[in-house]
Amino acid sequence: MPSAAPEAGAVTVPHLLARNVAQRGNKAAYREKEYGIWQSWTWAQAAEEIDALALGLLELGAKTGDHIAISGRNRPALYWAMVAAQKLGCVPVPLYQEAAAEEIAYALEHSGARFAIAGDQEQVDKLEEAREGLTTLERVIYLDGRGLRRYDHSAMTSYADVQAMGRKSARRDEMEARTDARTYDDTCVMLYTSGTTGRPKGVVLSNRNVIETSKNSARFDDLRAGDEVLAYLPMAWVGDFIFSVGQAMWTGFCVNCPESADTMLTDLREIGPTYFFAPPRVFENQLTTVMIRMEDAGQFKKKLFDHYMKVARRVGPALLDGNSVRAFDRLRYALGNLLVYGPLKNTLGLSRVRVGYTAGEAIGPEIFDFYRALGMNLKQLYGQTEATVFITQQPDGEVRSDTVGVPSPGVELRIAENGEVFYRSPGTFVEYYKNPESTASTKDSEGWVATGDAGFIEDGSGHLRIIDRAKDVGKLASGAMFAPKYVENKLKFYPNILEAVVFGAGRDHCVAFINIDLAAVGNWAERNNIAYSSYQELSQHPKVLDLVEGHVNAVNESIAQDPMLAACQIHRFLILHKELDADDGEMTRSRKVRRAVVGDKFADLIAALYNGAPEIYTETEVTYEDGRKGKIKATLAIRDATVVDSARATAA
Amino acid sequence: MKDTAAPYVTTDGRQIGDVLMDMRGITLRFGGVEAIKNISFDIREGEIRAIIGPNGAGKSSMLNVISGFYNPQEGEVWFRGEKRPAMKPFQVARLGIARTFQNIALFDGMSVLDNIMTGRLTHMKTGMLSQMIWKGRAEREEVENRAVVERIIDFLEIQAIRKTPVGRLPYGLKKRVELARALAAEPKLLLLDEPMAGMNVEEKEDMSRFILDVNDEFGTTIALIEHDMGVVMDLSDRVVVMDYGRKIGDGTPSEVRNNQEVIDAYLGVAHD
């Protein structure tokens, strides 16, 4: 494992805080919108608040090595709580604020937290519920006391009271001694992974993990004091911890907290962050809103928008990547920037973004290119909690929608036989708390960590491309790689396609089920004078089948570009007569398709896709929202898609 | 005459304050129709007092008497130990009584913020001229009032719609804005006319929580009319039940629930 020495004695986050106070004590460190006004705290003020809280916790009896649970929406006071815990040699454990009481109870029991800091009544209620049958949790500290007046306060104290206690405390030396006794390999934070299967696991990250990663990633993107971020993603998520605590402390930039979850987009516009992270969903929603509003705009505005967006799509990405662009196009882009891109980015709150990232799931190329075309430096990264976020990221000038970039500084990558991606880095987690078996099965003795994702490193560019979850990747009868999710994602990038399920493991070729998006296709049908009375009728309309066939053919063409995956082209498809639904067990509650269930339930349809029949009659049992069951009968048309000869495609 | 010495403990065991408003022998007529027939009850400081009854029982008329919109032909209204003379609604507002309406009465074209600011009207001392010049006292006053309003916006969790014109809001949120405007007056007594009418279950739960929180945090005395029995029984400290303009029950929710006359009025009995 590569080991680096701490820089300038900054062994812990509190040390970085002290450095920031010394270097830029009167610059803004935190802002929060409250009562309609952005309130701000300088580094010196924040340090005072943190010290007061830490001393208060010390007076309450917090011991070195204690876990302190923190749950609530992004607020400066809760970020301070994390640093205050670290000052005392305690380990902050941020929890997801949406978590149900049982999940919180599990985390409290597993971590053995004696103190919990809650944002408001909702979080206090859950902690109190979780406390039943738990002997470890001693005291709940709450930030917003609203609605708590009549609660039993024997084991509850307000944040302000703890700070008041701390301000009177005479044990400052003891606190500082505790901070200084920490080493680079002591625990910095523990984060619970949401875990799609089984119990959540507590990922232990050391000071080295957090500080080295923050340092490397800040250098990679030239993050600096003076940058602004908007902290709106869950505090329990590793990304928020690194962006809003790790990198913020390392570089000394300012963390801005929105007024409430609902005001995020307004606050985004008011702050105008220079460094911005959002999952693809946020970008998608913003783009949809823009498009809908442009549909309603006047003729002139719409023409102007369409014209300049065409220019932007052609010229914008090249300009961002620093490629050469004809002077005339530069001029046109500058004009477009004046008339369209600038005002639009301003409305979206993205005018000042210097470094923007998206990750978490695949982003549609149209969406990605839209933001790049506007001149926003949107990039992709690939990471996970166990890596302290960063595994790969895209350097400026090498940004594409289909890769996740090159290994982040200090990260080594290895692709296993079966295509699974392994990494080793200074950010590689210490262990899963109280779970040596899982630790051993994830991280080997040399420090290599299995990601669970399958991918490959592209020849030439050296970029990593993620294909699918490793366990979903299979083989066709010919032995070629079968990556269903890769194909499904490509299909789902079309707004008309809501869901797609691709089959092919152990078969000669691939076939697909398609779910159309009722809103998008319904709208299209309306504009094209296609009458329909039900989802089922619309889904089987010949023109809708033509529409979807066009999308499938386009996807085949794009897959054929890729020699490794060309065999995954879709030969035949059908449009399902019902939407896949969690109530029918076809999807999980988080809307992930249960491949095996769908395969069993519609075995007759799969058989028809492979036996060359032009259509198939089927009956399907459905569960209505009130629990009653019914049957849908339908005759589904099966279409042949155009398959591109991959040899020809690559030659062309 | 009732004993007004504190503390007063309801049979449910909750301690509430002195008599804030005392209605004595109120009778209200519209021509030949007697909407309210000789009703007496009191509202105590810090309590949530519900007025319930079937349609046409005279609940809204009663609320309008309390708010000073109607002056009863007979009976006396005592407020904070003094007999209240016949008053105009704006004079009642100055006494510290604010209300919301059954059919929302907001300014549709104005933003949420401006609507709530109108609730501060009784707290504005500067004249129109100095407000136009907008220097010194007028500016200071506006800042102070805005601060109060912002606290209420935060309290009712409507930050996201602060600048939205009220006309564009869904019904449930309009109701909340109306509550915000009434709260902006920092009333001693808050009158709510069917605060949950037309709401779905989730909106009702939110509104109930806000009403309880207002009562708890600001200590505001609340008198409300409501149809949803479940809500009334959960929220209120004491309930007055009306039927055909008469008072047929008065007490804690559990007392009222077991009152035979009340059960008859709600479930209906054969009139023989």
Side-chain angles (χ1 to χ4, degrees):
Chain A
M1 190 165 179
S3 63
E7 259 174 59
V11 176
T12 65
V13 170
H15 289 122
L16 293 176
L17 171 69
R19 188 203 62 184
N20 289 340
V21 172
Q23 289 180 356
R24 55 183 78 86
N26 59 359
K27 294 269 168 34
Y30 294 91
R31 283 194 208 100
E32 180 182 30
K33 196 172 182 187
E34 202 176 21
Y35 305 130
I37 296 171
W38 286 97
Q39 323 271 346
S40 57
W41 291 265
T42 64
W43 285 103
Q45 286 168 329
E48 194 280 331
E49 299 272 358
I50 290 166
D51 284 359
L53 183 71
L55 285 166
L57 287 168
L58 185 63
E59 293 291 335
L60 285 173
K63 294 206 258 308
T64 302
D66 272 356
H67 285 107
I68 297 184
I70 295 165
S71 98
R73 70 180 171 87
N74 312 66
R75 300 195 63 179
L78 294 184
Y79 287 112
W80 301 336
M82 298 218 234
V83 186
Q86 289 163 337
K87 282 216 86 155
L88 297 176
C90 300
V91 178
V93 184
L95 303 175
Y96 282 95
Q97 59 160 334
E98 285 93 8
E102 310 91 75
E103 296 169 64
I104 290 192
Y106 175 79
L108 288 176
E109 193 185 354
H110 184 253
S111 66
R114 291 170 59 221
F115 296 96
I117 301 178
D120 56 15
Q121 184 188 13
E122 190 187 340
Q123 302 303 323
V124 171
D125 283 346
K126 281 195 282 191
L127 289 167
E128 289 297 314
E129 199 183 326
R131 192 206 283 259
E132 315 256 319
L134 206 66
T135 49
T136 41
L137 183 62
E138 286 174 24
R139 188 156 289 276
V140 172
I141 296 159
Y142 59 85
L143 189 55
D144 181 354
R146 173 174 164 202
L148 296 173
R149 192 179 303 243
R150 291 192 200 161
Y151 282 48
D152 173 13
H153 271 60
S154 58
M156 215 188 269
T157 316
S158 82
Y159 191 99
D161 286 349
V162 176
Q163 284 190 315
M165 213 185 298
R167 289 192 173 102
K168 277 185 265 166
S169 169
R171 294 164 70 183
R172 182 169 284 274
D173 292 343
E174 192 183 334
M175 173 181 75
E176 300 294 353
R178 279 212 205 170
T179 311
D180 291 335
R182 306 304 284 171
T183 71
Y184 213 32
D185 288 307
D186 281 330
T187 305
C188 175
V189 67
M190 183 160 94
L191 301 159
Y192 280 92
T193 54
S194 44
T196 44
T197 50
R199 288 288 195 181
K201 290 178 269 193
V203 180
V204 174
L205 298 179
S206 66
N207 290 317
R208 178 190 303 278
N209 292 154
V210 170
I211 294 178
E212 287 296 318
T213 304
S214 300
K215 178 174 72 184
N216 289 340
S217 53
R219 283 194 186 142
F220 185 87
D221 281 314
D222 188 26
L223 302 176
R224 48 195 179 227
D227 273 329
E228 302 274 349
V229 293
L230 187 70
Y232 69 101
L233 290 158
M235 288 181 68
W237 176 58
V238 66
D240 186 63
F241 186 80
I242 291 303
F243 303 145
S244 306
V245 179
Q247 292 178 336
M249 286 287 177
W250 177 261
T251 58
F253 63 60
C254 181
V255 175
N256 300 281
C257 297
E259 191 168 21
S260 73
D262 302 334
T263 58
M264 183 269 183
L265 288 175
T266 318
D267 297 334
L268 178 67
R269 189 157 62 232
E270 288 174 1
I271 286 299
T274 56
Y275 175 39
F276 182 59
F277 180 94
R281 178 176 42 85
V282 170
F283 289 115
E284 212 176 305
N285 289 347
Q286 275 197 339
L287 176 58
T288 311
T289 314
V290 169
M291 286 309 175
I292 289 173
R293 288 179 65 175
M294 282 322 297
E295 287 297 320
D296 292 341
Q299 277 294 313
F300 176 71
K301 277 190 186 165
K302 194 164 158 23
K303 284 235 168 75
L304 195 72
F305 177 78
D306 288 343
H307 173 75
Y308 279 107
M309 279 319 295
K310 218 177 276 167
V311 173
R313 282 183 195 281
R314 200 160 45 81
V315 182
L319 276 174
L320 259 185
D321 288 343
N323 298 341
S324 69
V325 172
R326 286 193 313 164
F328 180 62
D329 280 338
R330 270 176 200 277
L331 184 70
R332 293 221 295 184
Y333 190 85
L335 202 58
N337 196 35
L338 194 69
L339 293 169
V340 179
Y341 325 138
L344 180 57
K345 277 195 291 183
N346 192 25
T347 307
L348 297 174
L350 304 175
S351 300
R352 299 205 297 160
V353 173
R354 207 159 49 78
V355 182
Y357 273 110
T358 186
E361 51 193 309
I363 185 167
E366 276 84 51
I367 300 165
F368 192 72
D369 290 343
F370 174 82
Y371 289 93
R372 302 268 317 160
L374 286 182
M376 173 188 166
N377 187 18
L378 181 60
K379 310 197 285 182
Q380 298 200 76
L381 66 81
Y382 171 63
Q384 57 177 206
T385 310
E386 287 82 349
T388 321
V389 182
F390 298 96
I391 299 174
T392 65
Q393 54 197 131
Q394 296 178 324
D396 287 344
E398 294 179 36
V399 181
R400 285 162 43 192
S401 66
D402 57 350
T403 79
V404 290
V406 299
S408 301
V411 178
E412 301 167 79
L413 272 191
R414 197 185 77 197
I415 311 290
E417 281 281 289
N418 65 351
E420 185 167 0
V421 179
F422 286 75
Y423 65 89
R424 185 161 72 171
S425 74
T428 303
F429 73 120
V430 180
E431 59 170 357
Y432 292 122
Y433 188 65
K434 288 197 211 158
N435 193 346
E437 304 88 57
S438 287
T439 308
S441 67
T442 310
K443 186 168 85 160
D444 69 15
S445 54
E446 289 171 24
W448 288 98
V449 180
T451 59
D453 289 322
F456 62 92
I457 293 175
E458 210 175 55
D459 289 338
S461 70
H463 278 236
L464 177 68
R465 283 178 63 178
I466 295 296
I467 303 168
D468 208 333
R469 294 293 298 166
K471 66 177 170 49
D472 286 339
V473 174
K475 287 207 169 10
L476 292 165
S478 63
M481 186 193 276
F482 169 62
K485 190 123 171 270
Y486 177 79
V487 182
E488 288 160 12
N489 277 338
K490 278 195 178 282
L491 286 166
K492 279 158 66 176
F493 288 146
Y494 291 96
N496 292 329
I497 297 178
L498 181 71
E499 272 309 331
V501 191
V502 174
F503 300 94
R507 305 270 196 169
D508 295 336
H509 55 256
C510 296
V511 296
F513 289 170
I514 308 279
N515 257 178
I516 52 168
D517 185 312
L518 185 58
V521 179
N523 194 313
W524 172 86
E526 207 169 289
R527 277 184 283 117
N528 289 281
N529 294 322
I530 294 171
Y532 66 98
S533 59
S534 67
Y535 180 85
Q536 193 180 330
E537 189 181 336
L538 181 66
S539 74
Q540 296 308 314
H541 196 284
K543 287 208 167 146
V544 172
L545 281 157
D546 290 344
L547 183 75
V548 172
E549 190 177 323
H551 296 333
V552 173
N553 288 343
V555 166
N556 279 348
E557 220 157 279
S558 127
I559 297 173
Q561 305 294 323
D562 213 316
M564 272 183 83
L565 295 163
C568 293
Q569 290 185 62
I570 293 161
H571 286 238
R572 278 159 67 79
F573 76 94
L574 59 77
I575 301 180
L576 284 177
H577 49 301
K578 71 178 281 284
E579 274 190 52
L580 297 178
D581 198 328
D583 286 340
D584 291 328
E586 293 149 350
M587 293 184 130
T588 64
R589 289 281 160 201
S590 53
R591 296 196 63 77
K592 291 196 181 100
V593 173
R594 291 196 165 118
R595 207 172 291 283
V597 175
V598 174
D600 280 351
K601 190 166 181 177
F602 300 108
D604 55 335
L605 301 182
I606 297 177
L609 280 166
Y610 280 108
N611 70 16
E615 57 176 38
I616 166 97
Y617 172 80
T618 188
E619 291 183 8
T620 311
E621 186 168 87
V622 290
T623 314
Y624 296 110
E625 258 173 42
D626 59 5
R628 285 182 303 121
K629 298 206 185 262
K631 261 197 163 97
I632 319 185
K633 298 170 193 157
T635 302
L636 306 181
I638 298 179
R639 290 277 183 112
D640 291 310
T642 313
V643 176
V644 183
D645 184 351
S646 71
R648 194 149 33 90
T650 36
Chain B
M1 169 139 189
K2 271 190 178 169
D3 179 17
T4 55
Y8 178 92
V9 181
T10 69
T11 50
D12 282 355
R14 178 153 177 234
Q15 189 176 317
I16 48 183
D18 289 348
V19 171
L20 179 69
M21 179 165 259
D22 201 5
M23 316 293 286
R24 300 181 185 170
I26 304 290
T27 297
L28 178 73
R29 289 186 206 95
F30 297 105
V33 182
E34 268 197 339
I36 301 175
K37 295 165 191 155
N38 190 24
I39 288 187
S40 303
F41 67 95
D42 62 2
I43 300 170
R44 288 175 174 267
E45 248 168 56
E47 75 171 333
I48 300 181
R49 185 76 146 128
I51 303 172
I52 65 171
N55 280 334
K59 304 180 300 283
S60 286
S61 301
M62 195 69 211
L63 207 68
N64 281 325
V65 171
I66 300 174
S67 74
F69 188 68
Y70 293 150
N71 284 308
Q73 281 79 6
E74 285 167 36
E76 295 169 352
V77 179
W78 286 65
F79 186 65
R80 307 175 94 184
E82 278 175 48
K83 186 177 163 187
R84 195 175 81 184
M87 277 185 168
K88 293 266 179 338
F90 74 90
Q91 293 169 311
V92 175
R94 281 197 193 141
L95 284 179
I97 299 180
R99 70 167 297 175
T100 66
F101 296 85
Q102 194 174 338
N103 333 310
I104 297 162
L106 292 164
F107 303 101
D108 271 356
M110 276 163 46
S111 71
V112 167
L113 180 65
D114 289 341
N115 265 285
I116 303 173
M117 282 298 273
T118 61
R120 295 297 296 169
L121 187 68
T122 52
H123 295 261
M124 307 236 187
K125 306 278 181 312
T126 49
M128 193 159 72
L129 190 65
S130 57
Q131 292 207 7
M132 280 166 69
I133 297 166
W134 182 248
K135 271 277 156 246
R137 202 153 70 96
E139 188 182 359
R140 258 196 327 274
E141 198 179 70
E142 171 115 356
V143 170
E144 283 162 18
N145 285 319
R146 174 74 186 267
V148 173
V149 167
E150 283 293 343
R151 271 171 207 282
I152 291 165
I153 288 176
D154 182 69
F155 190 84
L156 295 180
E157 296 165 12
I158 45 178
Q159 301 99 328
I161 52 166
R162 191 185 278 127
K163 301 274 170 70
T164 313
V166 164
R168 292 220 319 247
L169 296 178
Y171 181 79
L173 276 178
K174 282 187 187 169
K175 280 275 196 193
R176 210 188 289 181
V177 174
E178 216 191 16
L179 176 62
R181 183 180 59 184
L183 281 179
E186 294 180 274
K188 299 276 179 309
L189 175 61
L190 176 63
L191 308 177
L192 305 175
D193 195 350
E194 303 214 10
M196 330 263 179
M199 286 188 171
N200 64 30
V201 176
E202 195 183 330
E203 288 170 332
K204 278 183 186 173
E205 276 173 6
D206 280 349
M207 187 53 102
S208 302
R209 188 165 60 84
F210 287 127
I211 292 173
L212 284 172
D213 282 354
V214 165
N215 178 248
D216 203 36
E217 289 292 301
F218 305 139
T220 311
T221 310
I222 297 171
L224 64 94
I225 295 179
E226 184 49 57
H227 266 300
D228 188 319
M229 274 305 109
V231 167
V232 169
M233 295 301 175
D234 284 351
L235 283 182
S236 14
D237 296 304
R238 295 190 302 155
V239 182
V240 177
V241 191
M242 293 176 68
D243 189 23
Y244 293 113
R246 292 176 308 120
K247 180 169 104 172
I248 59 170
D250 189 354
T252 62
S254 49
E255 285 167 0
V256 166
R257 199 181 283 126
N258 297 320
N259 181 329
Q260 190 55 46
E261 220 180 327
V262 175
I263 297 171
D264 293 348
Y266 268 89
L267 299 180
V269 284
H271 288 278
D272 41 23

